[in-house]
Amino acid sequence: MYFYTNAVVIALVIIVASASTVKWVPNGSFNLPNNYKDGKLPCSKQTVVLPEVLSASVKLQSEIDVGGFVLPSEGYIILDGVVMLGDSGEENCTDGNAFYLERSTSAWNQAGAWSSSRFNAATPDSERLPCYYDKVEFPNSRYTARLPQLEQTVRVLKIGDKSYGTQSFRTWVSTEVDTEQNFVFNDYMSTGVSVRYMVCTHKFGCPCQENPIEIDCSVKYCTQPTCVAPVKPPGFCCKVCGGYITFEVDDMFNRKAFEELVDKMVSSYSSNLVYHIGFTPVKRSRTVLLVVVEEGEYTGRSAEVINDIDRSVDRDWFKGQKQAFYSGSPLSKAGMGGKIFVSVFFIVILVLSSIYLYYYKLPTVEVPFLNRGTRGMFRFQRRSDSVVSLTSRRDSTTIGGVRTAFRNPLYDSKRGRVQVAESVVEE
């Protein structure tokens, strides 16, 4: 339930969310095909030509392989990945220019259209939009904004330095002429924006919006997860490495105690862990959503802390089922257990085989060698009760300087133990 300040409040527990500023930033991702004139990403033989003046920043994400750049005279380029210049031998890539178009038209519910200090890596895309407690700012630059279909509540709305209320904003949108800012009415010929001060009276908290809208993920660039079995929490456009927990709450849920539990356990693991506590993006949702991920390289700690929190949640805080999901090990360590087992297995087999061959199956192996100009042979034999002599027989014959026989140390010993009967053939 939401409560408005123009009513009288008596003996109500009021949860006031900390106000934050959410700014309109038209999508300027370098990695989106629809941001180019021909609708395709540039390849390694092409030169990327950016507009002479950029009204918004362009973000270069992930690994980029292009022939070169023609940079703007004014503007900002944010590098969040690796850029490689020059022909990489890519197939089906022809020389030429790829023209980047600064498409300044975005929808209210478009992923990446807003920025705020309250957003972190664990914030769902469905909550990277203005919430009922936010201050919304539109810049004084050239853009087109398509307004939301369902009514969205904000605390403050500003265009440049000027503030607007619900009605004054509608009037301005209806009468705007020759302005750089172009706001497009929704299908109901309404702004879909309500400007008012509102607080939450639920002990367990309130969703970001009373009327959540479906996030438009069509222009969201998703990087390749660096873990086995990545997860996709509700409200996310992309799969991520980490974990999340969902459970339905009632009036007995103590949100403050839950937040303290999460903060304590996350802080005890690592400083690069971030989390977000909210609700699933469903109208009048009472399903709490906790997301924990890692900023930077994925190590698996976020999955571990989700597992620990899952076991520590008070049974009285939720009703029905509580579900926890978390990703697997980092790709860099994936299959290490299996690889170690296979390696040890083959080492053991090799050692046992060597011992077996040495004692029982080792054949006679002769290897030629040179010794100060004298040619000879090494003979390797299995162990026996007799001492094996590798000295050449003094009375052995030679052919071309190479001795043709060795003394058999077993011959005399066998003759000593075996009676050999000689038969005389009489004529």
Side-chain angles (χ1 to χ4, degrees):
M1 180 179 70
Y2 295 90
F3 176 78
Y4 310 107
T5 55
N6 56 354
V8 178
V9 183
I10 300 176
L12 285 176
V13 178
I14 300 176
I15 295 179
V16 180
S18 57
S20 57
T21 300
V22 180
K23 297 182 179 181
W24 174 261
V25 182
N27 192 283
S29 175
F30 183 89
N31 302 73
L32 295 176
N34 63 347
N35 281 344
Y36 291 87
K37 185 177 180 179
D38 58 358
K40 296 187 297 184
L41 289 175
C43 60
S44 61
K45 294 181 181 179
Q46 293 180 314
T47 299
V48 178
V49 181
L50 290 99
E52 186 175 352
V53 177
L54 288 173
S55 59
S57 60
V58 177
K59 191 172 186 179
L60 280 65
Q61 298 170 286
S62 188
E63 185 175 299
I64 296 169
D65 194 354
V66 296
F69 285 94
V70 175
L71 299 176
S73 58
E74 294 182 24
Y76 294 91
I77 297 177
I78 302 172
L79 178 61
D80 186 20
V82 178
V83 176
M84 293 180 288
L85 302 177
D87 182 10
S88 64
E90 183 179 356
E91 295 183 0
N92 300 322
C93 180
T94 57
D95 296 335
N97 295 327
F99 294 92
Y100 179 88
L101 304 179
E102 190 173 24
R103 300 186 186 277
S104 55
T105 299
S106 299
W108 182 285
N109 64 324
Q110 185 172 294
W114 301 93
S115 68
S116 175
S117 59
R118 73 171 173 86
F119 301 161
N120 61 36
T123 306
D125 293 286
S126 58
E127 292 197 29
R128 292 175 181 260
L129 307 176
C131 291
Y132 69 89
Y133 48 80
D134 284 329
K135 299 176 181 178
V136 172
E137 292 185 359
F138 287 92
N140 274 329
S141 59
R142 183 181 296 276
Y143 54 83
T144 297
R146 297 194 300 271
L147 296 171
Q149 297 289 338
L150 299 177
E151 183 179 285
Q152 302 293 287
T153 300
V154 298
R155 183 168 297 184
V156 177
L157 189 149
K158 297 178 68 176
I159 302 175
D161 297 329
K162 188 174 180 179
S163 297
Y164 293 85
T166 304
Q167 190 56 44
S168 59
F169 178 58
R170 176 181 173 78
T171 301
W172 188 84
V173 173
S174 302
T175 59
E176 59 180 348
V177 179
D178 297 332
T179 61
E180 292 187 331
Q181 298 82 38
N182 179 31
F183 292 90
V184 180
F185 279 131
N186 60 26
D187 294 343
Y188 307 102
M189 294 305 296
S190 169
T191 62
V193 180
S194 176
V195 183
R196 56 190 174 184
Y197 186 88
M198 193 168 66
V199 294
C200 175
T201 58
H202 281 310
K203 181 180 179 181
F204 55 79
C206 293
C208 174
Q209 287 289 347
E210 191 172 20
N211 299 309
I213 52 180
E214 185 178 355
I215 190 72
D216 179 11
C217 297
S218 61
V219 296
K220 176 78 173 184
Y221 176 75
C222 297
T223 57
Q224 181 66 33
T226 58
C227 62
V228 176
V231 296
K232 188 178 181 182
F236 274 68
C237 288
C238 307
K239 291 184 178 181
V240 295
C241 297
Y244 68 96
I245 298 174
T246 59
F247 54 88
E248 188 178 354
V249 299
D250 53 24
D251 292 335
M252 297 299 295
F253 176 62
N254 190 330
R255 184 183 177 101
K256 183 178 180 181
F258 179 64
E259 289 177 346
E260 290 176 351
L261 168 68
V262 172
D263 188 70
K264 180 180 178 181
M265 299 196 74
V266 169
S267 301
S268 67
Y269 267 80
S270 175
S271 59
N272 73 326
L273 292 178
V274 292
Y275 67 90
H276 174 84
I277 300 175
F279 291 85
T280 55
V282 180
K283 188 176 178 65
R284 296 188 178 89
S285 175
R286 285 193 170 204
T287 302
V288 170
L289 171 66
L290 166 67
V291 182
V292 181
V293 298
E294 298 171 48
E295 289 186 324
E297 183 181 1
Y298 173 72
T299 62
R301 292 189 179 93
S302 52
E304 293 176 17
V305 74
I306 279 291
N307 184 51
D308 288 347
I309 294 174
D310 178 45
R311 293 181 296 177
S312 303
V313 172
D314 194 325
R315 183 63 184 85
D316 296 333
W317 287 353
F318 65 93
K319 59 182 181 179
Q321 288 187 336
K322 173 172 56 67
Q323 295 181 303
F325 305 86
Y326 35 84
S327 54
S329 59
L331 289 178
S332 58
K333 299 180 180 180
M336 287 300 294
K339 293 176 183 177
I340 293 174
F341 173 79
V342 171
S343 300
V344 172
F345 175 79
F346 278 107
I347 290 174
V348 171
I349 292 298
L350 181 61
V351 171
L352 293 177
S353 300
S354 301
I355 294 174
Y356 179 78
L357 292 173
Y358 182 74
Y359 278 94
Y360 303 103
K361 299 293 183 180
L362 186 66
T364 298
V365 179
E366 295 185 350
V367 181
F369 73 97
L370 297 176
N371 183 15
R372 295 183 181 181
T374 304
R375 292 180 294 174
M377 304 289 289
F378 271 135
R379 172 172 291 181
F380 298 90
Q381 294 177 301
R382 294 188 299 274
R383 290 187 58 185
S384 66
D385 295 336
S386 303
V387 177
V388 179
S389 173
L390 297 181
T391 58
S392 301
R393 289 182 55 184
R394 295 178 182 273
D395 56 348
S396 61
T397 60
T398 62
I399 301 176
V402 179
R403 298 185 183 276
T404 59
F406 290 95
R407 181 187 301 276
N408 186 347
L410 303 181
Y411 180 79
D412 295 334
S413 61
K414 288 182 179 179
R415 289 184 62 85
R417 293 195 298 267
V418 180
Q419 298 296 327
V420 179
E422 297 183 358
S423 61
V424 178
V425 179
E426 297 181 357
E427 298 182 356

